[in-house]
Amino acid sequence: GVTAPALYWHFADKEALVREVGREVARLFKDRMLEAIAVPNPEARLRRTLEVFRTFAIAHPAYFHMLFVRPPESRGGREARDGGARATVFQLLIDRVAECMRDGSLADGNAESVAMTLAALVQGLVVLNRRGRFASDTAFAEFFDLSVDRLIKGLR
């Protein structure tokens, strides 16, 4: 019920509007990621964090696309221009990996590098799902969990 001209009472231009939507989407995703912290042990927290990524991508495909697929230039610039929201979300994954390294459920190493590897796996699987590579969301979830399990076992 809002007209386009009325938006400009609140936003200087389209870029400012897109930036604000990006911040709100990142906040929503971050809130979901923070829910995983309540899980009792480090490896379970890491797995829950990755599951949140999967469920968010299925429940909110346009938001997922905005956060993780669309090139930076069409998001209105680099992370510094959106308040670093994507960096904050990635830091949550790094923190889960570091916890697993400290408790021995993952081998010691560079937590940021391992987090990037995990992020590449799960993001790639989500993109494959969006391209119709799985028969159903259930088949996708099963393959996702199997793939995460294989990678985590390999990282031990």
Side-chain angles (χ1 to χ4, degrees):
V2 176
T3 64
L7 287 174
Y8 292 105
W9 283 99
H10 304 282
F11 299 98
D13 54 27
K14 181 180 175 183
E15 184 177 318
L17 173 62
V18 170
R19 234 184 355 262
E20 184 59 32
V21 169
R23 280 190 198 104
E24 188 61 24
V25 168
R27 186 201 54 75
L28 175 66
F29 183 70
K30 179 184 169 190
D31 288 349
R32 299 259 169 90
M33 294 280 281
L34 288 171
E35 293 170 7
I37 293 175
V39 176
N41 70 62
E43 184 176 336
R45 275 192 293 276
L46 173 60
R47 288 174 184 272
R48 178 68 182 122
T49 297
L50 297 172
E51 181 186 330
V52 165
F53 188 92
R54 176 182 53 79
T55 58
F56 184 85
I58 289 171
H60 305 288
Y63 293 170
F64 172 85
H65 184 84
M66 180 177 220
L67 283 176
F68 300 107
V69 178
R70 200 164 70 183
E73 58 274 4
S74 61
R75 286 190 294 237
R78 303 188 135 282
E79 288 178 17
R81 296 178 75 187
D82 75 357
R86 283 178 298 284
T88 301
V89 166
F90 185 60
Q91 186 61 51
L92 292 171
L93 180 57
I94 294 169
D95 294 346
R96 301 297 70 79
V97 168
E99 286 178 334
C100 288
M101 289 177 175
R102 282 192 300 275
D103 91 335
S105 52
L106 292 179
D108 277 338
N110 180 316
E112 185 173 345
S113 176
V114 171
M116 185 67 77
T117 299
L118 286 163
L121 171 69
V122 298
Q123 184 172 344
L125 290 172
V126 167
V127 171
L128 287 173
N129 184 53
R130 292 191 67 199
R131 301 274 188 223
R133 300 292 184 181
F134 299 95
S136 66
D137 285 344
T138 300
F140 167 59
E142 289 171 1
F143 189 82
F144 184 99
D145 291 344
L146 177 64
S147 298
V148 165
D149 190 54
R150 286 177 177 152
L151 185 53
I152 287 175
K153 284 180 180 176
L155 291 167
R156 280 199 181 109

